[in-house]
């Protein structure tokens, strides 16, 4: 437009109204009386938003407007919330029973002991195998099958010992939390600690068993990864090696892990600072925004007013998503990276870019790598190796994970409702349903999948889960609890 | 991770948990006892969100979450609004006085007459100039300067005639609307119609004057664009030519416009359908969402409660921006394109991608091309040609446009508050302030400029203006009016 409209412009100086003209105005000067006859409409053009426009315009500006709108809308809710409730944050009024604290401390101390029990079991097994191999050397003529055949009972006994030890670790904590600890936060932490150690014990036992088997069936030694060669089987059964596994940010045991050359303390400090800020942020948002929303939602649910319930769910979904994202970053980026740095643990892939997931399946494979790795190495692949159908194996994984989720949420809130379990199992149809979208080459296909994932997870699953647990908690204790947030 | 983790996978079938493995699993089959010793952590990796990650991940997923959040937040407000107010839309209760309708009809009929008055003035001028040229031919020795010098009075008289005609057109309507039409919607339409015709008359008069001058001073004929050659000066003074200008979607008169070969009626139908839908959308949103918000805001302003006023402004800014965007599309894309198609008017550039404006100045140059073209051709460039400072010329343009805005909003609401005027004049410092951002090569610079533009325009200027006018209207009539929305 301007280029054509200013065919006969004077060379003007900087002008805020007509800067473009300046560039195209290096022509013959404009006569005083000829300005009003310039051909503004010199040639046919189509509107920017019409389909017959030569090239699609950029819509980056609308993205900026979107960001601005989100900021403004949330700021408005902050102001509204303040005008409605004032300041709800209060440190003193956060009461807990002394018994809870003591019990949590005891649990925190005894749970790791089971790891060392597992070590002693393994040491016994190693001593036994040395005997077996010595026996073999003496009479080469005896078939290996027979010798190892005779000792099946020993291996069964060791397996049983591990099973007993691991189960005990989980049982003690669960009972203590369910019956002894009222405060849901302390309960959740204790239960989570127990589950983590339990998974570590299982991994430790399984891995050492296979290392043992590989040692017996020497032809299988090829299966042992190169990485482990620096610390072959019985050598890894030391307290130091176990302690490293105990603190390493992983759930799968390896005699040897990739390590970083040194600890960058600056890196650690930054991650801890992030953790501190995010924890405060999460605490404030839960107390100031999530708690009141949940409280009003409670009445609405009680009154079964559909319209209001939907309205509440929507309001809750935004705040819960924000809190969840902050929590994710705090745990998987800040905490685990800080821990890994201190432990000089090399593999920091605790998650990949799950937020771009084109399907629910990709999300579950990428948001929580430590658990995903455990499930894959100790449940999924073994089942596959035994010739199971991958679909069924995947279902097993989600059922198992559902049980863990239920324990983690149900036990501390003293309400085994089965919602967390159902929430996990319901993922299977979702995964199968959205799987085709993964292979969609079109950007739209991926976007739709990504939208489905966000909707199902952040905007439906979470708020409903939170509401239901809060509802159950209210029904049982009639008081607000952080756990429900 | 997966590639390393599955070095010894069996060739599995389709699996929802472990699709990636399938691709990398065409190796030696996994022995039943070796799965638990796979080296999951085979090499050092950094977290996706860490700074030491090899390449930055895509955050497209978060854009999708943003869209989803916006949709959910607004849907929630819709539900909330419904629960609070129920349905506010009501056709019957929309009352207007018969007198308003009659007066508007009369104004709509008489306003265009001034265009034809302008034509007759021009015809007279053309007849006169033919006399002048005939006189010249007779005595070539007489200097052109002298002859044209003698007739200055005629040209002044013609200019005065045009001035009187144009002013009359605007004055009659303004007075009628200000004193006679109560309904702000009808008033606005009548006033807008008058202003458009007034601008067309001015452009018509100025253009023909310069064409005349060019004819007199034959050495200036070079200034006449090629485009006009098909219809040289006096030939264009026909009723047909004027009627085309009258209906053409432009404010600048040209004897000849670029034309399209034929009318695509399908295109027209689509544009009209858009217009219908958007009009209904705007009406519903104004009645259901903007009106109540404005009404409560009114009390808050009266009570001068800062917190609530800010909260109201934020809520209003979102709804007003949505309505404004819908209105923009309805007028500049749908209506003007439909009209242009019917008129076979070639130049459809009624706007360019103003939403990406890196500064306020770029926005004003690109969002409303018809007015921008008029200002440029008949105010800005002539002043420049007379050696004015472009800054001052630009200020003149905004002052003039401010007066028109004030007339357009103040007269129909019977409140000449000067807010629209101030709103336009305030743009000058904003333009000067954000001008440096236009030249910013960095994406950030442009984004900041774009944010400043959106904030100043959609999220501050509009809601405050709407609120103030609504406030004034309330103070005067104590009833809600669509004009304030």
């Amino acid at each position: 437009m301007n280029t054509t409209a200013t065919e006969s412009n004077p060379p003007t100086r900087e002008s805020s109204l007509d800067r473009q003209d300046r560039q195209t105005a290096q022509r013959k000067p404009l006569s005083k009386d000829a300005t009003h006859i310039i051909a503004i409409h010199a040639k046919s053009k189509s509107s920017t938003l019409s389909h017959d426009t030569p090239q699609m315009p950029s819509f980056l500006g609308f993205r900026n407007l979107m960001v601005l709108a989100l900021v403004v809308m949330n700021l408005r809710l902050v102001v509204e919330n303040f005008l409605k409730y004032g300041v709800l944050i209060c440190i003193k009024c956060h009461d807990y029973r002394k018994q809870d604290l003591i019990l949590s401390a005891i649990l925190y101390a005894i749970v790791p002991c089971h790891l060392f029990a597992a070590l002693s079991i393994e040491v016994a097994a190693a001593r036994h195998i040395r005997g077996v191999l010595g026996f073999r050397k003496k009479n080469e003529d005896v078939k290996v099958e027979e010798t190892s055949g005779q000792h099946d009972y020993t291996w069964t006994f060791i397996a049983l010992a591990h099973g007993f030890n691991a189960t005990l670790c989980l049982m003690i904590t669960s009972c203590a939390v369910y019956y002894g600890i009222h405060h849901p936060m302390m309960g959740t932490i204790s239960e989570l600690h127990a589950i983590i150690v339990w998974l570590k014990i299982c991994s430790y036992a399984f891995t050492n068993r296979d290392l043992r088997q590989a040692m017996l069936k020497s032809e299988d030694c090829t299966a042992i990864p190169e990485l482990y060669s620096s610390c072959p089987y019985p050598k890894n059964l030391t307290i130091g090696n176990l302690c490293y596994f105990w603190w390493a940010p992983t759930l799968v045991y390896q005699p040897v892990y990739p390590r970083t050359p040194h600890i960058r303390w600056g890196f650690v400090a930054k991650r801890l600072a992030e953790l501190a800020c995010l924890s405060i942020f999460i605490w404030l948002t839960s107390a100031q925004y999530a708690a009141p929303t949940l409280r009003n939602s409670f009445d609405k649910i009680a009154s079964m007013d559909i319209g209001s319930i939907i309205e509440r769910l929507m309001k809750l979904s935004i705040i819960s998503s924000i809190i969840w994202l902050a929590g994710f970053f705090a745990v998987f980026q800040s905490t685990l990276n800080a821990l890994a740095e201190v432990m000089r643990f090399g593999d920091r892939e605790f998650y990949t870019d799950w937020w771009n997931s084109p399907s629910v399946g990709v999300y579950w494979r990428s948001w929580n790598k430590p658990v995903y790795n455990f499930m894959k190495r100790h449940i999924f692949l073994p089942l596959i190796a035994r010739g199971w159908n991958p679909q069924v194996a995947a279902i097993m994984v989600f059922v198992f994970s559902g049980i863990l989720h239920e324990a983690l949420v149900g036990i501390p809130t003293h309400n085994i409702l089965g919602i967390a379990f159902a929430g996990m199992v319901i993922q299977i149809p979702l995964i199968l349903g959205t799987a085709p979208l993964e292979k969609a080459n079109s950007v739209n296909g991926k976007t739709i999948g990504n939208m489905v994932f966000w909707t199902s997870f952040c905007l439906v699953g979470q708020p409903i889960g939170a509401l239901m647990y809060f509802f159950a908690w209210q029904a049982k204790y009639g008081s607000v609890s952080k756990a429900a947030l």
Side-chain angles (χ1 to χ4, degrees), chain A:
Chain A
M1 162 54 70
N2 287 300
T3 51
T4 63
T6 60
E7 261 151 4
S8 46
N9 261 23
T12 63
R13 272 154 292 151
E14 184 80 351
S15 142
S16 56
L17 180 74
D18 253 11
R19 183 158 294 93
Q20 298 103 308
D21 303 337
R22 229 174 61 270
Q23 289 102 37
T24 57
Q26 320 307 346
R27 317 274 179 72
K28 66 181 194 312
L30 182 65
S31 109
K32 220 162 111 304
D33 316 318
T35 52
H36 296 294
I37 54 176
I38 293 165
I40 290 278
H41 304 291
K43 55 174 149 22
S44 290
K45 296 201 203 71
S46 62
S47 299
T48 315
L49 293 174
S50 295
H51 290 302
D52 44 16
T53 189
Q55 89 280 14
M56 208 54 192
S58 144
F59 290 108
L60 215 62
F62 284 119
R63 187 207 59 188
N64 297 340
L65 176 62
M66 218 157 66
V67 174
L68 208 59
L70 266 180
V71 170
V72 169
M73 290 179 87
N74 283 297
L75 270 182
R76 189 186 78 78
L77 291 178
V78 169
V79 174
E80 192 184 55
N81 168 283
F82 178 78
L83 294 171
K84 217 161 156 190
Y85 304 112
V87 178
L88 293 177
I89 289 106
C90 149
I91 300 161
K92 289 202 186 47
C93 39
H94 198 72
D95 64 336
Y96 55 85
R97 303 183 314 177
K98 210 162 190 339
Q99 187 206 325
D100 292 357
L101 207 59
I102 297 161
L103 209 50
S104 309
I106 295 169
L107 287 173
Y108 187 75
I110 60 167
V111 162
C113 303
H114 294 275
L115 265 172
F116 295 96
L119 172 60
S120 51
I121 296 167
E122 280 304 323
V123 169
R127 193 168 298 120
H128 181 81
I129 208 169
R130 244 183 248 102
V132 173
L133 294 175
F135 179 80
R136 271 200 203 163
K137 273 210 180 51
K138 278 204 217 78
N139 37 9
E140 291 296 336
D141 56 338
V142 183
K143 285 190 186 55
V144 175
E145 283 64 30
E146 273 176 29
T147 50
S148 58
Q150 288 162 20
H151 298 284
D152 269 355
Y153 301 110
T154 325
W155 303 143
T156 323
F157 172 75
I158 285 165
L160 284 172
H162 272 306
F164 176 76
N165 174 45
T167 317
L168 200 67
C169 160
L170 201 54
M171 276 306 137
I172 291 169
T173 315
S174 299
C175 294
V177 169
Y178 193 82
Y179 296 109
I181 300 181
H182 177 83
H183 194 287
M185 214 57 205
M186 295 188 193
T188 310
I189 292 167
S190 307
E191 188 66 22
L192 182 62
H193 180 223
I195 289 174
I196 289 170
V197 171
W198 181 69
L199 290 172
K200 279 177 187 262
I201 293 171
C202 297
S203 179
Y204 190 71
F206 281 128
T207 311
N208 281 310
R209 192 200 66 191
D210 278 10
L211 288 170
R212 236 181 2 251
Q213 299 288 348
M215 198 181 186
L216 272 177
K217 306 211 185 69
S218 47
E219 75 273 7
D220 247 351
C221 280
T222 54
I224 297 177
E226 299 306 309
L227 187 65
Y228 303 171
S229 53
S230 66
C231 175
Y233 169 54
K235 281 206 184 61
N236 68 315
L237 300 176
T238 63
I239 291 190
N241 182 289
L242 177 66
C243 286
Y244 185 83
F245 174 54
W246 175 19
W247 284 99
T250 179
L251 295 173
V252 297
Y253 174 71
Q254 290 179 196
V256 183
Y257 293 100
R259 305 287 294 270
T260 55
H262 58 278
I263 303 174
R264 296 169 296 169
W265 288 107
F267 181 89
V268 177
K270 277 190 208 138
R271 298 292 84 73
L272 293 179
E274 286 171 359
L275 177 59
C277 299
L278 283 167
S279 309
I280 293 167
F281 171 80
I282 291 170
W283 172 52
L284 295 184
T285 31
S286 324
Q288 185 71 44
Y289 303 104
T293 317
L294 276 164
R295 221 177 282 111
N296 332 345
S297 316
F298 177 55
D299 318 334
K300 299 278 186 272
I301 292 181
S303 69
M304 290 316 273
D305 170 358
I306 298 303
S308 324
I309 291 175
I310 292 167
E311 188 271 336
R312 288 289 95 186
L313 277 183
M314 284 176 167
K315 183 152 193 178
L316 202 55
S317 67
I318 299 293
I319 185 70
S320 66
S321 306
I322 292 169
I323 292 176
W324 188 87
L325 287 174
F328 168 83
F329 195 93
V331 173
F332 287 86
Q333 173 64 11
S334 308
T335 313
L336 290 187
N337 266 293
L339 182 57
E341 190 65 32
V342 171
M343 299 298 289
R344 295 184 30 238
F345 188 80
D347 183 358
R348 310 290 174 87
E349 199 178 58
F350 307 117
Y351 60 90
T352 53
D353 62 339
W354 55 266
W355 47 87
N356 299 326
S357 306
S359 79
V360 179
V362 171
Y363 165 74
W364 284 108
R365 285 199 290 276
S366 50
W367 89 276
N368 184 341
K369 283 284 185 188
V371 168
Y372 168 72
N373 290 333
F374 180 92
M375 298 294 183
K376 185 163 122 190
R377 194 205 207 193
H378 298 303
I379 299 179
F380 185 75
L381 293 184
L383 291 179
I384 295 295
R386 274 155 190 70
W388 283 48
N389 174 329
Q391 302 287 20
V392 182
I395 290 170
M396 286 307 298
V397 167
F398 273 92
V399 168
F400 177 71
S401 142
I403 294 164
L404 291 188
H405 274 79
E406 187 62 36
L408 187 56
V409 191
I411 290 173
T413 53
H414 317 114
N415 263 303
I416 313 278
L417 295 173
I419 290 171
F421 179 76
M424 286 307 295
V425 173
I426 210 79
Q427 297 302 321
I428 297 161
L430 274 174
I431 288 169
L432 298 178
T434 56
L437 293 162
E438 291 172 35
K439 293 192 248 51
N441 304 331
S442 70
V443 177
N444 290 346
K446 292 214 183 306
T447 309
I448 292 164
N450 190 242
M451 283 290 192
V452 170
F453 145 64
W454 279 119
T455 317
S456 75
F457 181 74
C458 287
L459 302 179
V460 177
Q462 272 203 71
I464 290 177
L467 260 179
M468 292 307 287
Y469 270 105
F470 180 79
F471 185 65
W473 181 269
Q474 285 279 30
K476 194 156 184 178
Y477 300 99
S479 81
V480 183
S481 89
K482 292 266 174 302
L485 315 178

